[in-house]
Amino acid sequence: MTATERGVGLADQSADLETVLAWFRRMREKEPVSHDGEAGVWHVFRHADAERILADPGTFSSDFSSFMAPQEDVARFIKGNLLRKDPPQHRKLRTLVSKVFTPGMVARLAPRIEVITDELLDAKAGAEQIELVSDLAYPLPVIVIAELLGIPTEDRPMFGRWADALVAPESQTSFIPNPERTKSMAIVMREMNAYCLEHIRRRRARPEDDLASRLVEAEVDGQRLDDEEIIGFVGLLLLAGHITTTALLGNVVLCLDEHPEAAAALRADSGLLPGAIEEVLRFRTPLAPSMRRTTRDARIGEHTVPAGRIVLAWLASANRDERKFSEPDRFDIRRTPNAHLSFGHGIHFCLGAPLARLEVRIAVRKMLARWSAMSVGEGAEYHDARGIVGAKRLPLHLRWA
């Protein structure tokens, strides 16, 4: 049975969330580990299997360089990208980055995030309708990350343009390495590498009070990050931090629009907000798959996956697994425990998770305080749900408090 016969193919032009969730449901039940000969990948749909894959970097590698022809710009860009490194390189990078990019440092950003959010919302004060993505969900994380790194205000649009280019095209097949994709990405990466390298060298010569300067100065057991390793982390922070937060904030609004009783509960008790965000992460997982490469023959369920194959662990399916979650298709902001895999698991658990949670918590709290009601209007547009689960465009009708 081909992927298309099952209902969803990776080569299909696009797929909406309901179609993808129905596919996940069928596959978890009938074929939880399956080979997709058309796309040349293995799919994994259940929570236990996905969790095991994420927890075993020795068998399931994050390094896909063997699938790509050597390319200087791409190699420079991914040199410090934690998501694409295995131990021991990953351990060195994560240890050094974690020394400065700490939960405490993130927590101290809260006052500034509050100000940025207020400024973005004030710009639409009194409006009966806004477009959530362009007015708030997209600019908020880009501004926060740019300020965190010490990027000048006038250069922020470049960061947004680079992020857009590096996450397109929409299809899930863009996650799978291929020569055409590598060539188009290299052009963007060359420009971004040059800009970031110049910024990092300025900070080496004259440090300031920003994350770029702290990364330059970070040292553990005599080891330091070189300039190209810092480029990779800056690129990761921009892309992963911006995409996840933008999608998550839109997904919170979509969930509250679909479940008005949850919105009422949050207005009555803001203490429920952290749990609600975790449930949105589970219910509408921002990044649907996590990709790995087998380093040796690997047994997953009843199948043996040969060495050197791409495995897609479908986090958005794992987060709806009936074997792990009671009533997984019910949205429950009080769900406890909530062992979703949206930020990953194991050594690659998302380093930026505290920042994404903080930005979204502040933004949603301020939205609920300003607006007594919000509803999704006509004209919403969505990403291909096999890649990013979230809105590209989300018109909102507002009633001001």
Side-chain angles (χ1 to χ4, degrees), residues 238-317:
L238 168 68
L239 296 178
H242 146 245
I243 295 164
T244 303
T245 305
T246 298
L248 176 56
L249 185 49
N251 286 345
V252 171
V253 171
L254 286 163
C255 287
L256 297 184
D257 181 65
E258 294 164 358
H259 303 89
E261 73 287 351
L266 291 175
R267 283 193 168 91
D269 182 4
S270 62
L272 295 172
L273 193 49
I277 291 171
E278 297 309 304
E279 179 67 345
V280 173
L281 283 162
R282 183 195 70 83
F283 196 76
R284 296 182 76 103
T285 307
L287 297 179
S290 189
M291 189 169 69
R292 296 292 188 271
R293 171 183 59 85
T294 51
T295 62
R296 49 182 173 256
D297 291 358
R299 190 76 177 170
I300 313 175
E302 298 178 355
H303 296 266
T304 298
V305 179
R309 299 297 192 272
I310 289 177
V311 176
L312 289 178
W314 287 98
L315 308 184
S317 175

Side-chain angles (χ1 to χ4, degrees), residues 208-222:
E208 296 189 17
D209 185 19
D210 57 40
L211 181 61
S213 299
R214 295 188 189 102
L215 289 168
V216 165
E217 295 168 349
E219 181 176 346
V220 175
D221 296 332

Side-chain angles (χ1 to χ4, degrees), residues 269-389:
D269 182 4
S270 62
L272 295 172
L273 193 49
I277 291 171
E278 297 309 304
E279 179 67 345
V280 173
L281 283 162
R282 183 195 70 83
F283 196 76
R284 296 182 76 103
T285 307
L287 297 179
S290 189
M291 189 169 69
R292 296 292 188 271
R293 171 183 59 85
T294 51
T295 62
R296 49 182 173 256
D297 291 358
R299 190 76 177 170
I300 313 175
E302 298 178 355
H303 296 266
T304 298
V305 179
R309 299 297 192 272
I310 289 177
V311 176
L312 289 178
W314 287 98
L315 308 184
S317 175
N319 287 343
R320 296 284 189 118
D321 191 348
E322 303 82 353
R323 293 150 197 82
K324 184 68 176 181
F325 301 97
S326 174
E327 298 182 85
D329 294 326
R330 181 169 66 89
F331 182 71
D332 179 8
I333 64 173
R334 295 177 174 85
R335 184 180 295 274
T336 305
N338 193 343
H340 65 76
L341 297 174
S342 297
F343 284 125
H345 178 71
I347 67 168
H348 288 291
F349 184 84
C350 179
L351 196 63
L355 180 58
R357 285 169 167 143
L358 178 63
E359 289 173 330
V360 172
R361 188 169 70 247
I362 288 172
V364 174
R365 177 169 50 79
K366 288 184 176 292
M367 290 158 61
L368 291 174
R370 287 176 179 238
W371 307 329
S372 59
M374 55 183 172
S375 59
V376 176
E378 294 183 3
E381 298 175 10
Y382 300 93
H383 294 280
D384 184 336
R386 295 164 300 176
I388 299 169
V389 177

Side-chain angles (χ1 to χ4, degrees), residues 28-329:
R28 283 195 304 271
E29 185 61 33
K30 299 180 181 298
E31 207 171 344
V33 179
S34 67
H35 181 237
D36 186 340
E38 294 175 60
V41 303
W42 286 79
H43 298 291
V44 176
F45 296 94
R46 290 181 180 172
H47 189 284
D49 292 328
E51 187 176 55
R52 183 171 72 84
I53 288 166
L54 300 181
D56 184 3
T59 305
F60 300 98
S61 169
S62 297
D63 182 354
F64 296 93
S65 56
S66 60
F67 287 96
M68 300 181 289
Q71 212 294 332
E72 181 182 356
D73 300 296
V74 175
R76 176 175 286 184
F77 187 82
I78 66 175
K79 184 177 179 182
N81 186 327
L82 297 169
L83 286 182
R84 290 291 168 253
K85 296 297 178 185
D86 296 329
Q89 296 95 332
H90 176 273
R91 188 178 306 111
K92 175 211 170 183
L93 290 169
R94 180 128 186 168
T95 299
L96 284 163
V97 168
S98 297
K99 184 177 176 64
V100 294
F101 192 67
T102 65
M105 184 219 72
V106 169
R108 289 192 292 275
L109 295 174
R112 182 57 188 153
I113 295 172
E114 300 242 7
V115 170
I116 295 168
T117 306
D118 280 332
E119 289 175 348
L120 291 169
L121 292 174
D122 287 345
K124 296 295 177 178
E128 295 181 355
Q129 180 172 318
I130 68 167
E131 199 288 285
L132 184 77
V133 176
S134 61
D135 291 338
L136 179 64
Y138 184 96
L140 174 61
V142 172
I143 293 170
V144 170
I145 292 166
E147 286 196 0
L148 182 62
L149 292 166
I151 303 298
T153 302
E154 62 270 19
D155 292 345
R156 288 176 194 162
M158 286 195 307
F159 271 65
R161 179 168 53 81
W162 292 331
D164 288 343
L166 291 174
V167 298
E170 290 298 321
S171 171
Q172 165 55 31
T173 54
S174 69
F175 286 82
I176 300 171
N178 65 74
E180 293 77 16
R181 176 72 176 139
T182 300
K183 186 176 180 180
S184 64
M185 289 173 66
I187 296 170
V188 180
M189 289 176 178
R190 184 178 307 132
E191 184 180 353
M192 189 171 172
N193 288 344
Y195 178 90
C196 291
L197 186 59
E198 183 180 351
H199 181 65
I200 291 161
R201 285 173 175 168
R202 281 199 301 267
R203 289 301 186 260
R204 281 202 188 278
R206 187 174 298 174
E208 296 189 17
D209 185 19
D210 57 40
L211 181 61
S213 299
R214 295 188 189 102
L215 289 168
V216 165
E217 295 168 349
E219 181 176 346
V220 175
D221 296 332
Q223 289 190 312
R224 302 172 77 104
L225 295 165
D226 65 33
D227 291 351
E228 292 183 354
E229 288 171 333
I230 298 174
I231 287 174
F233 180 69
V234 168
L236 173 62
L237 190 60
L238 168 68
L239 296 178
H242 146 245
I243 295 164
T244 303
T245 305
T246 298
L248 176 56
L249 185 49
N251 286 345
V252 171
V253 171
L254 286 163
C255 287
L256 297 184
D257 181 65
E258 294 164 358
H259 303 89
E261 73 287 351
L266 291 175
R267 283 193 168 91
D269 182 4
S270 62
L272 295 172
L273 193 49
I277 291 171
E278 297 309 304
E279 179 67 345
V280 173
L281 283 162
R282 183 195 70 83
F283 196 76
R284 296 182 76 103
T285 307
L287 297 179
S290 189
M291 189 169 69
R292 296 292 188 271
R293 171 183 59 85
T294 51
T295 62
R296 49 182 173 256
D297 291 358
R299 190 76 177 170
I300 313 175
E302 298 178 355
H303 296 266
T304 298
V305 179
R309 299 297 192 272
I310 289 177
V311 176
L312 289 178
W314 287 98
L315 308 184
S317 175
N319 287 343
R320 296 284 189 118
D321 191 348
E322 303 82 353
R323 293 150 197 82
K324 184 68 176 181
F325 301 97
S326 174
E327 298 182 85
D329 294 326

